[in-house]
Amino acid sequence: MVAEMKAEQIGRAARTDMQLMVPVRPVLRRGVRMRRAGDSVVLDGADRAQVFSGAFAREGLIPLTEACDGTRGHTELAEKVGFDEATVYKCLALLWTAGAVEEAPSGDEPDVAPEWAVFLSRLGNSTGANLSWADAVTRLADRSVRLEGDPALVAAARRSLEGVPLSAASSGPSGTPGELTVFFETVASAALLAATEERCRQDGRPLLRVRADARAFTVGPYADASLTPCLECGSHGEAELSGELPGHLADLVAGVTAHHVVALLARAAISHLPTDSSVTDVSTLSSVYRPATVRPGCSRCSYTEGPVAPRAPAGSVYEASVAMPPRSFLSPKDHQAHYYASNLRLQAQFKDWPSRRHTPLPAADLAALAAARRPDPSGGGVPLTLESLSTVLKIAFGVKDEESTPERVKRWTAASGNIGCTTAYVVLRDDRVLPPGIYVYAQGSHSLAAVSSQVPDGSAPCEIVVTGDLKKVMTKYGTFGFRLVFLDAGCNLSAAREVAEHLGLAFAPRPDWDDDALARALGTTPADEPVAAVATLGGTA
């Protein structure tokens, strides 16, 4: 998939977004190069292919990167290449997001093998957690790794982790404060894991369990009492160990483990840790990922009292699978996805139901919302009108037309990623508002599109059914988008309640509903457009 980013956009964002940065004394990352290719400029060697297009890229980017030798600041770079400083800033912001430049080391460069420096610099862009490759070396030097468990895998891991501080001890008290213990669990060493886990837990040190047998090897879970579920919760539901790992695979398991250890300690490579475990089939080398999930009732990591559940509920597994990583493991690189051109365009993409009959809604009555006193709906409520329904829908689901531009849509209510991933269906039973039927709110045109003349049973003059536009939100957020649908629906209901109270309308969220019946009435499918909230509007409070 092509991800496009514009220098103007990312340069403007870097001025205000604290999760974006621009190197003060930029230097080209080790192991990468910029080269002309036809009408474009190509970045070779970065963690993913990058192409820069446009007249400025063809004429200006290569001279700028050649001047980025770590000795010049923005002012000196502008003088060197003949650009204004604002242009240099925007270009550097784009080059940093692309993985072309990093911050020059603040002091003397660490004395490490050139291959190691290139690895940390070139792939350090994968997480964006280090300003410079030298920072990754410092992170590694400040931590030590203790290898325990299966002797053959421990020996292979020592070879793979050459250059990483390793503890000489293989048992006994923990060493340095930041020590990470890696335990290789096999049929022969499984009995020793409990003692290692207890020692790490008592000492407050993290533990990475690596499990290997004749069928698969598992990297994880990572157990840290301050960040993650305990080892038992993180590994619950696993099958019994099945035979010994074939000897010729020891180096493979050790190499994969070494990658993730470096990712954990130096933050210079991508890892599924600390939140997930990876299970790799030794025959096909295909991998699946399992989130570490707290089991209800666990005395170590659950707030729920009672017996320990044998398995975590499906909802908990989903929440764990899409949860944000602990703050200390956040990846600034991931944040850049907000500024991909395709994701920015999502905010201005509205459903319009062109084949449906549309009824334009009157302008929202903002003056009524400015009143200090609110009518009391307890006496029966103010009758629902088309004008009041329009105001509720506009504030809860609509956009600020006067303040919106093609580049930036402004909404009345908070929306995840400013996407607008919920849709409001209106079930009307009061013919004084509109002919009874089911309508859908088209926020782009501020109108109601007719869906059906069949009205479900009910006594409320109006019901608002909020559904999630999974196809739209998952374009940017993947499976995490399902969670955002419910967050947005909560914001929609909160805004609708506030507006209804200002207008004196009765408003009540529904605690339960029949998903299948609503899907049939609305003509939707739960897989693409699940119902996230239902509320009644108007009538008696």
Side-chain angles (χ1 to χ4, degrees), residues 357-362 384-387 389-390 393 426-440 447-450 455 461-462:
R357 176 177 52 83
H358 284 248
T359 300
L361 291 171
L384 181 67
T385 65
L386 187 62
E387 289 73 17
L389 175 61
S390 169
L393 292 174
V426 179
V427 179
L428 272 175
R429 300 185 179 90
D430 190 341
D431 57 9
R432 294 172 297 180
V433 180
L434 280 177
I438 300 176
Y439 301 83
V440 61
S447 62
L448 286 177
V455 182
C462 175

PDB file of all heavy atoms in Angstrom, residues 357-362 384-387 389-390 393 426-440 447-450 455 461-462:
ATOM      1  N   ARG A 357     -34.185   9.533  -1.196  1.00  0.00           N
ATOM      2  CA  ARG A 357     -34.814  10.860  -1.166  1.00  0.00           C
ATOM      3  C   ARG A 357     -34.320  11.615   0.072  1.00  0.00           C
ATOM      4  O   ARG A 357     -34.405  11.119   1.187  1.00  0.00           O
ATOM      5  CB  ARG A 357     -36.338  10.712  -1.120  1.00  0.00           C
ATOM      6  CG  ARG A 357     -37.085  12.049  -0.987  1.00  0.00           C
ATOM      7  CD  ARG A 357     -38.588  11.819  -1.036  1.00  0.00           C
ATOM      8  NE  ARG A 357     -39.003  10.808  -0.082  1.00  0.00           N
ATOM      9  CZ  ARG A 357     -39.233  11.047   1.223  1.00  0.00           C
ATOM     10  NH1 ARG A 357     -39.033  12.249   1.719  1.00  0.00           N
ATOM     11  NH2 ARG A 357     -39.628  10.064   2.010  1.00  0.00           N
ATOM     12  N   HIS A 358     -33.791  12.824  -0.150  1.00  0.00           N
ATOM     13  CA  HIS A 358     -33.236  13.618   0.932  1.00  0.00           C
ATOM     14  C   HIS A 358     -34.188  14.737   1.339  1.00  0.00           C
ATOM     15  O   HIS A 358     -34.808  15.389   0.488  1.00  0.00           O
ATOM     16  CB  HIS A 358     -31.900  14.237   0.527  1.00  0.00           C
ATOM     17  CG  HIS A 358     -30.755  13.260   0.531  1.00  0.00           C
ATOM     18  ND1 HIS A 358     -29.717  13.330   1.421  1.00  0.00           N
ATOM     19  CD2 HIS A 358     -30.513  12.167  -0.233  1.00  0.00           C
ATOM     20  CE1 HIS A 358     -28.864  12.347   1.190  1.00  0.00           C
ATOM     21  NE2 HIS A 358     -29.334  11.623   0.184  1.00  0.00           N
ATOM     22  N   THR A 359     -34.282  14.966   2.637  1.00  0.00           N
ATOM     23  CA  THR A 359     -35.040  16.092   3.172  1.00  0.00           C
ATOM     24  C   THR A 359     -34.062  17.048   3.835  1.00  0.00           C
ATOM     25  O   THR A 359     -33.454  16.707   4.862  1.00  0.00           O
ATOM     26  CB  THR A 359     -36.073  15.622   4.218  1.00  0.00           C
ATOM     27  OG1 THR A 359     -36.978  14.702   3.612  1.00  0.00           O
ATOM     28  CG2 THR A 359     -36.835  16.808   4.793  1.00  0.00           C
ATOM     29  N   PRO A 360     -33.856  18.239   3.260  1.00  0.00           N
ATOM     30  CA  PRO A 360     -32.931  19.197   3.898  1.00  0.00           C
ATOM     31  C   PRO A 360     -33.425  19.577   5.286  1.00  0.00           C
ATOM     32  O   PRO A 360     -34.626  19.751   5.510  1.00  0.00           O
ATOM     33  CB  PRO A 360     -32.955  20.392   2.936  1.00  0.00           C
ATOM     34  CG  PRO A 360     -33.463  19.842   1.643  1.00  0.00           C
ATOM     35  CD  PRO A 360     -34.417  18.737   2.013  1.00  0.00           C
ATOM     36  N   LEU A 361     -32.483  19.695   6.203  1.00  0.00           N
ATOM     37  CA  LEU A 361     -32.821  20.087   7.569  1.00  0.00           C
ATOM     38  C   LEU A 361     -32.587  21.579   7.753  1.00  0.00           C
ATOM     39  O   LEU A 361     -31.668  22.152   7.145  1.00  0.00           O
ATOM     40  CB  LEU A 361     -31.962  19.310   8.570  1.00  0.00           C
ATOM     41  CG  LEU A 361     -32.256  17.818   8.682  1.00  0.00           C
ATOM     42  CD1 LEU A 361     -31.196  17.124   9.549  1.00  0.00           C
ATOM     43  CD2 LEU A 361     -33.650  17.578   9.263  1.00  0.00           C
ATOM     44  N   PRO A 362     -33.403  22.231   8.597  1.00  0.00           N
ATOM     45  CA  PRO A 362     -33.162  23.658   8.869  1.00  0.00           C
ATOM     46  C   PRO A 362     -31.834  23.850   9.590  1.00  0.00           C
ATOM     47  O   PRO A 362     -31.274  22.904  10.152  1.00  0.00           O
ATOM     48  CB  PRO A 362     -34.349  24.052   9.745  1.00  0.00           C
ATOM     49  CG  PRO A 362     -34.856  22.772  10.325  1.00  0.00           C
ATOM     50  CD  PRO A 362     -34.571  21.703   9.312  1.00  0.00           C
ATOM     51  N   LEU A 384     -41.047  17.606  20.290  1.00  0.00           N
ATOM     52  CA  LEU A 384     -39.983  17.505  19.299  1.00  0.00           C
ATOM     53  C   LEU A 384     -40.435  18.158  18.005  1.00  0.00           C
ATOM     54  O   LEU A 384     -41.560  17.965  17.553  1.00  0.00           O
ATOM     55  CB  LEU A 384     -39.645  16.037  19.052  1.00  0.00           C
ATOM     56  CG  LEU A 384     -38.518  15.747  18.042  1.00  0.00           C
ATOM     57  CD1 LEU A 384     -37.185  16.231  18.577  1.00  0.00           C
ATOM     58  CD2 LEU A 384     -38.468  14.253  17.732  1.00  0.00           C
ATOM     59  N   THR A 385     -39.566  18.947  17.403  1.00  0.00           N
ATOM     60  CA  THR A 385     -39.831  19.576  16.114  1.00  0.00           C
ATOM     61  C   THR A 385     -38.693  19.249  15.156  1.00  0.00           C
ATOM     62  O   THR A 385     -37.631  18.770  15.570  1.00  0.00           O
ATOM     63  CB  THR A 385     -39.949  21.108  16.250  1.00  0.00           C
ATOM     64  OG1 THR A 385     -38.672  21.638  16.659  1.00  0.00           O
ATOM     65  CG2 THR A 385     -41.016  21.487  17.267  1.00  0.00           C
ATOM     66  N   LEU A 386     -38.924  19.559  13.883  1.00  0.00           N
ATOM     67  CA  LEU A 386     -37.860  19.328  12.910  1.00  0.00           C
ATOM     68  C   LEU A 386     -36.671  20.224  13.212  1.00  0.00           C
ATOM     69  O   LEU A 386     -35.514  19.817  13.032  1.00  0.00           O
ATOM     70  CB  LEU A 386     -38.387  19.587  11.496  1.00  0.00           C
ATOM     71  CG  LEU A 386     -37.421  19.219  10.357  1.00  0.00           C
ATOM     72  CD1 LEU A 386     -37.113  17.730  10.369  1.00  0.00           C
ATOM     73  CD2 LEU A 386     -38.000  19.644   9.003  1.00  0.00           C
ATOM     74  N   GLU A 387     -36.932  21.428  13.721  1.00  0.00           N
ATOM     75  CA  GLU A 387     -35.846  22.355  14.041  1.00  0.00           C
ATOM     76  C   GLU A 387     -35.001  21.825  15.201  1.00  0.00           C
ATOM     77  O   GLU A 387     -33.764  21.876  15.160  1.00  0.00           O
ATOM     78  CB  GLU A 387     -36.412  23.739  14.390  1.00  0.00           C
ATOM     79  CG  GLU A 387     -36.988  24.509  13.221  1.00  0.00           C
ATOM     80  CD  GLU A 387     -38.334  23.954  12.741  1.00  0.00           C
ATOM     81  OE1 GLU A 387     -38.969  23.190  13.508  1.00  0.00           O
ATOM     82  OE2 GLU A 387     -38.732  24.263  11.591  1.00  0.00           O
ATOM     83  N   LEU A 389     -34.786  18.664  16.234  1.00  0.00           N
ATOM     84  CA  LEU A 389     -34.099  17.451  15.788  1.00  0.00           C
ATOM     85  C   LEU A 389     -32.860  17.818  14.964  1.00  0.00           C
ATOM     86  O   LEU A 389     -31.790  17.206  15.118  1.00  0.00           O
ATOM     87  CB  LEU A 389     -35.053  16.596  14.951  1.00  0.00           C
ATOM     88  CG  LEU A 389     -34.443  15.342  14.306  1.00  0.00           C
ATOM     89  CD1 LEU A 389     -33.911  14.389  15.361  1.00  0.00           C
ATOM     90  CD2 LEU A 389     -35.470  14.638  13.417  1.00  0.00           C
ATOM     91  N   SER A 390     -32.998  18.832  14.123  1.00  0.00           N
ATOM     92  CA  SER A 390     -31.865  19.287  13.322  1.00  0.00           C
ATOM     93  C   SER A 390     -30.718  19.756  14.196  1.00  0.00           C
ATOM     94  O   SER A 390     -29.553  19.445  13.929  1.00  0.00           O
ATOM     95  CB  SER A 390     -32.315  20.428  12.399  1.00  0.00           C
ATOM     96  OG  SER A 390     -31.198  21.054  11.791  1.00  0.00           O
ATOM     97  N   LEU A 393     -28.948  16.702  15.867  1.00  0.00           N
ATOM     98  CA  LEU A 393     -28.130  15.943  14.919  1.00  0.00           C
ATOM     99  C   LEU A 393     -26.893  16.731  14.499  1.00  0.00           C
ATOM    100  O   LEU A 393     -25.802  16.157  14.357  1.00  0.00           O
ATOM    101  CB  LEU A 393     -28.956  15.578  13.691  1.00  0.00           C
ATOM    102  CG  LEU A 393     -30.092  14.571  13.920  1.00  0.00           C
ATOM    103  CD1 LEU A 393     -30.927  14.403  12.652  1.00  0.00           C
ATOM    104  CD2 LEU A 393     -29.547  13.223  14.372  1.00  0.00           C
ATOM    105  N   VAL A 426     -32.332   7.731  12.261  1.00  0.00           N
ATOM    106  CA  VAL A 426     -33.418   8.358  13.016  1.00  0.00           C
ATOM    107  C   VAL A 426     -34.709   7.586  12.748  1.00  0.00           C
ATOM    108  O   VAL A 426     -35.158   7.503  11.598  1.00  0.00           O
ATOM    109  CB  VAL A 426     -33.585   9.832  12.616  1.00  0.00           C
ATOM    110  CG1 VAL A 426     -34.740  10.475  13.396  1.00  0.00           C
ATOM    111  CG2 VAL A 426     -32.284  10.605  12.875  1.00  0.00           C
ATOM    112  N   VAL A 427     -35.266   7.025  13.804  1.00  0.00           N
ATOM    113  CA  VAL A 427     -36.551   6.329  13.709  1.00  0.00           C
ATOM    114  C   VAL A 427     -37.620   7.305  14.196  1.00  0.00           C
ATOM    115  O   VAL A 427     -37.676   7.636  15.380  1.00  0.00           O
ATOM    116  CB  VAL A 427     -36.561   5.047  14.565  1.00  0.00           C
ATOM    117  CG1 VAL A 427     -37.916   4.356  14.472  1.00  0.00           C
ATOM    118  CG2 VAL A 427     -35.446   4.108  14.139  1.00  0.00           C
ATOM    119  N   LEU A 428     -38.457   7.782  13.278  1.00  0.00           N
ATOM    120  CA  LEU A 428     -39.472   8.793  13.598  1.00  0.00           C
ATOM    121  C   LEU A 428     -40.862   8.166  13.626  1.00  0.00           C
ATOM    122  O   LEU A 428     -41.242   7.430  12.704  1.00  0.00           O
ATOM    123  CB  LEU A 428     -39.442   9.913  12.567  1.00  0.00           C
ATOM    124  CG  LEU A 428     -38.493  11.080  12.830  1.00  0.00           C
ATOM    125  CD1 LEU A 428     -38.488  12.029  11.652  1.00  0.00           C
ATOM    126  CD2 LEU A 428     -38.854  11.808  14.104  1.00  0.00           C
ATOM    127  N   ARG A 429     -41.606   8.481  14.694  1.00  0.00           N
ATOM    128  CA  ARG A 429     -42.985   8.001  14.813  1.00  0.00           C
ATOM    129  C   ARG A 429     -43.963   9.171  14.896  1.00  0.00           C
ATOM    130  O   ARG A 429     -45.175   8.949  14.908  1.00  0.00           O
ATOM    131  CB  ARG A 429     -43.136   7.116  16.047  1.00  0.00           C
ATOM    132  CG  ARG A 429     -42.237   5.885  16.040  1.00  0.00           C
ATOM    133  CD  ARG A 429     -42.505   4.989  17.228  1.00  0.00           C
ATOM    134  NE  ARG A 429     -41.642   3.798  17.200  1.00  0.00           N
ATOM    135  CZ  ARG A 429     -40.448   3.734  17.763  1.00  0.00           C
ATOM    136  NH1 ARG A 429     -39.990   4.799  18.413  1.00  0.00           N
ATOM    137  NH2 ARG A 429     -39.726   2.643  17.678  1.00  0.00           N
ATOM    138  N   ASP A 430     -43.456  10.393  15.003  1.00  0.00           N
ATOM    139  CA  ASP A 430     -44.288  11.580  15.154  1.00  0.00           C
ATOM    140  C   ASP A 430     -44.457  12.242  13.786  1.00  0.00           C
ATOM    141  O   ASP A 430     -43.511  12.826  13.240  1.00  0.00           O
ATOM    142  CB  ASP A 430     -43.618  12.556  16.141  1.00  0.00           C
ATOM    143  CG  ASP A 430     -44.529  13.703  16.536  1.00  0.00           C
ATOM    144  OD1 ASP A 430     -45.504  13.961  15.814  1.00  0.00           O
ATOM    145  OD2 ASP A 430     -44.228  14.370  17.552  1.00  0.00           O
ATOM    146  N   ASP A 431     -45.689  12.166  13.227  1.00  0.00           N
ATOM    147  CA  ASP A 431     -45.899  12.718  11.884  1.00  0.00           C
ATOM    148  C   ASP A 431     -45.904  14.234  11.852  1.00  0.00           C
ATOM    149  O   ASP A 431     -45.977  14.848  10.790  1.00  0.00           O
ATOM    150  CB  ASP A 431     -47.193  12.174  11.271  1.00  0.00           C
ATOM    151  CG  ASP A 431     -48.419  12.466  12.136  1.00  0.00           C
ATOM    152  OD1 ASP A 431     -48.293  13.235  13.127  1.00  0.00           O
ATOM    153  OD2 ASP A 431     -49.494  11.932  11.824  1.00  0.00           O
ATOM    154  N   ARG A 432     -45.853  14.895  13.041  1.00  0.00           N
ATOM    155  CA  ARG A 432     -45.746  16.353  13.055  1.00  0.00           C
ATOM    156  C   ARG A 432     -44.321  16.809  12.734  1.00  0.00           C
ATOM    157  O   ARG A 432     -44.093  17.979  12.444  1.00  0.00           O
ATOM    158  CB  ARG A 432     -46.166  16.890  14.427  1.00  0.00           C
ATOM    159  CG  ARG A 432     -47.646  16.679  14.750  1.00  0.00           C
ATOM    160  CD  ARG A 432     -47.942  17.039  16.179  1.00  0.00           C
ATOM    161  NE  ARG A 432     -47.219  16.176  17.118  1.00  0.00           N
ATOM    162  CZ  ARG A 432     -47.300  16.289  18.451  1.00  0.00           C
ATOM    163  NH1 ARG A 432     -48.043  17.248  18.990  1.00  0.00           N
ATOM    164  NH2 ARG A 432     -46.638  15.463  19.219  1.00  0.00           N
ATOM    165  N   VAL A 433     -43.362  15.895  12.800  1.00  0.00           N
ATOM    166  CA  VAL A 433     -41.970  16.221  12.473  1.00  0.00           C
ATOM    167  C   VAL A 433     -41.708  15.911  11.008  1.00  0.00           C
ATOM    168  O   VAL A 433     -41.302  16.779  10.224  1.00  0.00           O
ATOM    169  CB  VAL A 433     -41.012  15.426  13.380  1.00  0.00           C
ATOM    170  CG1 VAL A 433     -39.566  15.759  13.051  1.00  0.00           C
ATOM    171  CG2 VAL A 433     -41.287  15.725  14.851  1.00  0.00           C
ATOM    172  N   LEU A 434     -41.905  14.681  10.613  1.00  0.00           N
ATOM    173  CA  LEU A 434     -41.771  14.193   9.238  1.00  0.00           C
ATOM    174  C   LEU A 434     -42.664  12.965   9.118  1.00  0.00           C
ATOM    175  O   LEU A 434     -43.065  12.378  10.130  1.00  0.00           O
ATOM    176  CB  LEU A 434     -40.312  13.819   8.923  1.00  0.00           C
ATOM    177  CG  LEU A 434     -39.321  14.927   8.583  1.00  0.00           C
ATOM    178  CD1 LEU A 434     -37.926  14.327   8.390  1.00  0.00           C
ATOM    179  CD2 LEU A 434     -39.737  15.710   7.345  1.00  0.00           C
ATOM    180  N   PRO A 435     -42.964  12.539   7.901  1.00  0.00           N
ATOM    181  CA  PRO A 435     -43.714  11.286   7.775  1.00  0.00           C
ATOM    182  C   PRO A 435     -42.997  10.163   8.514  1.00  0.00           C
ATOM    183  O   PRO A 435     -41.774  10.029   8.417  1.00  0.00           O
ATOM    184  CB  PRO A 435     -43.727  11.041   6.268  1.00  0.00           C
ATOM    185  CG  PRO A 435     -43.622  12.411   5.674  1.00  0.00           C
ATOM    186  CD  PRO A 435     -42.732  13.180   6.607  1.00  0.00           C
ATOM    187  N   PRO A 436     -43.716   9.354   9.313  1.00  0.00           N
ATOM    188  CA  PRO A 436     -43.068   8.280  10.077  1.00  0.00           C
ATOM    189  C   PRO A 436     -42.240   7.372   9.168  1.00  0.00           C
ATOM    190  O   PRO A 436     -42.614   7.069   8.035  1.00  0.00           O
ATOM    191  CB  PRO A 436     -44.247   7.522  10.695  1.00  0.00           C
ATOM    192  CG  PRO A 436     -45.317   8.551  10.807  1.00  0.00           C
ATOM    193  CD  PRO A 436     -45.163   9.427   9.593  1.00  0.00           C
ATOM    194  N   GLY A 437     -41.119   6.954   9.697  1.00  0.00           N
ATOM    195  CA  GLY A 437     -40.232   6.084   8.932  1.00  0.00           C
ATOM    196  C   GLY A 437     -38.836   6.096   9.529  1.00  0.00           C
ATOM    197  O   GLY A 437     -38.597   6.669  10.605  1.00  0.00           O
ATOM    198  N   ILE A 438     -37.922   5.466   8.836  1.00  0.00           N
ATOM    199  CA  ILE A 438     -36.519   5.427   9.252  1.00  0.00           C
ATOM    200  C   ILE A 438     -35.718   6.300   8.294  1.00  0.00           C
ATOM    201  O   ILE A 438     -35.824   6.152   7.067  1.00  0.00           O
ATOM    202  CB  ILE A 438     -35.969   3.991   9.251  1.00  0.00           C
ATOM    203  CG1 ILE A 438     -36.774   3.118  10.218  1.00  0.00           C
ATOM    204  CG2 ILE A 438     -34.493   3.985   9.646  1.00  0.00           C
ATOM    205  CD1 ILE A 438     -36.355   1.660  10.215  1.00  0.00           C
ATOM    206  N   TYR A 439     -34.926   7.195   8.856  1.00  0.00           N
ATOM    207  CA  TYR A 439     -34.085   8.098   8.084  1.00  0.00           C
ATOM    208  C   TYR A 439     -32.631   7.942   8.543  1.00  0.00           C
ATOM    209  O   TYR A 439     -32.371   7.419   9.626  1.00  0.00           O
ATOM    210  CB  TYR A 439     -34.524   9.556   8.282  1.00  0.00           C
ATOM    211  CG  TYR A 439     -35.957   9.842   7.878  1.00  0.00           C
ATOM    212  CD1 TYR A 439     -37.014   9.568   8.756  1.00  0.00           C
ATOM    213  CD2 TYR A 439     -36.249  10.394   6.639  1.00  0.00           C
ATOM    214  CE1 TYR A 439     -38.331   9.829   8.395  1.00  0.00           C
ATOM    215  CE2 TYR A 439     -37.566  10.665   6.267  1.00  0.00           C
ATOM    216  CZ  TYR A 439     -38.595  10.381   7.156  1.00  0.00           C
ATOM    217  OH  TYR A 439     -39.906  10.644   6.790  1.00  0.00           O
ATOM    218  N   VAL A 440     -31.722   8.419   7.716  1.00  0.00           N
ATOM    219  CA  VAL A 440     -30.314   8.419   8.088  1.00  0.00           C
ATOM    220  C   VAL A 440     -29.778   9.828   7.886  1.00  0.00           C
ATOM    221  O   VAL A 440     -30.105  10.502   6.888  1.00  0.00           O
ATOM    222  CB  VAL A 440     -29.508   7.376   7.277  1.00  0.00           C
ATOM    223  CG1 VAL A 440     -29.548   7.657   5.782  1.00  0.00           C
ATOM    224  CG2 VAL A 440     -28.057   7.315   7.759  1.00  0.00           C
ATOM    225  N   SER A 447     -28.802  16.730   5.973  1.00  0.00           N
ATOM    226  CA  SER A 447     -30.139  16.348   5.529  1.00  0.00           C
ATOM    227  C   SER A 447     -30.449  14.955   6.048  1.00  0.00           C
ATOM    228  O   SER A 447     -29.571  14.236   6.535  1.00  0.00           O
ATOM    229  CB  SER A 447     -30.225  16.376   4.000  1.00  0.00           C
ATOM    230  OG  SER A 447     -29.316  15.441   3.433  1.00  0.00           O
ATOM    231  N   LEU A 448     -31.722  14.570   5.929  1.00  0.00           N
ATOM    232  CA  LEU A 448     -32.154  13.232   6.293  1.00  0.00           C
ATOM    233  C   LEU A 448     -32.510  12.469   5.030  1.00  0.00           C
ATOM    234  O   LEU A 448     -33.331  12.928   4.217  1.00  0.00           O
ATOM    235  CB  LEU A 448     -33.357  13.278   7.234  1.00  0.00           C
ATOM    236  CG  LEU A 448     -33.086  13.697   8.685  1.00  0.00           C
ATOM    237  CD1 LEU A 448     -34.389  13.776   9.471  1.00  0.00           C
ATOM    238  CD2 LEU A 448     -32.131  12.732   9.361  1.00  0.00           C
ATOM    239  N   ALA A 449     -31.894  11.320   4.837  1.00  0.00           N
ATOM    240  CA  ALA A 449     -32.188  10.466   3.691  1.00  0.00           C
ATOM    241  C   ALA A 449     -33.153   9.375   4.123  1.00  0.00           C
ATOM    242  O   ALA A 449     -32.944   8.726   5.164  1.00  0.00           O
ATOM    243  CB  ALA A 449     -30.903   9.859   3.142  1.00  0.00           C
ATOM    244  N   ALA A 450     -34.202   9.165   3.349  1.00  0.00           N
ATOM    245  CA  ALA A 450     -35.206   8.162   3.690  1.00  0.00           C
ATOM    246  C   ALA A 450     -34.642   6.761   3.496  1.00  0.00           C
ATOM    247  O   ALA A 450     -34.047   6.449   2.464  1.00  0.00           O
ATOM    248  CB  ALA A 450     -36.452   8.353   2.828  1.00  0.00           C
ATOM    249  N   VAL A 455     -41.813   1.368  10.381  1.00  0.00           N
ATOM    250  CA  VAL A 455     -41.334   1.862  11.672  1.00  0.00           C
ATOM    251  C   VAL A 455     -41.381   0.728  12.693  1.00  0.00           C
ATOM    252  O   VAL A 455     -42.438   0.117  12.897  1.00  0.00           O
ATOM    253  CB  VAL A 455     -42.189   3.037  12.172  1.00  0.00           C
ATOM    254  CG1 VAL A 455     -41.639   3.561  13.493  1.00  0.00           C
ATOM    255  CG2 VAL A 455     -42.228   4.139  11.131  1.00  0.00           C
ATOM    256  N   PRO A 461     -41.388   9.226  20.418  1.00  0.00           N
ATOM    257  CA  PRO A 461     -41.571   9.929  19.145  1.00  0.00           C
ATOM    258  C   PRO A 461     -40.388   9.738  18.199  1.00  0.00           C
ATOM    259  O   PRO A 461     -40.544   9.737  16.980  1.00  0.00           O
ATOM    260  CB  PRO A 461     -41.703  11.397  19.554  1.00  0.00           C
ATOM    261  CG  PRO A 461     -42.051  11.369  21.000  1.00  0.00           C
ATOM    262  CD  PRO A 461     -41.413  10.141  21.567  1.00  0.00           C
ATOM    263  N   CYS A 462     -39.211   9.565  18.791  1.00  0.00           N
ATOM    264  CA  CYS A 462     -38.009   9.460  17.960  1.00  0.00           C
ATOM    265  C   CYS A 462     -36.968   8.614  18.672  1.00  0.00           C
ATOM    266  O   CYS A 462     -36.836   8.684  19.903  1.00  0.00           O
ATOM    267  CB  CYS A 462     -37.466  10.865  17.680  1.00  0.00           C
ATOM    268  SG  CYS A 462     -35.902  10.907  16.785  1.00  0.00           S
TER     269      CYS A 462
END
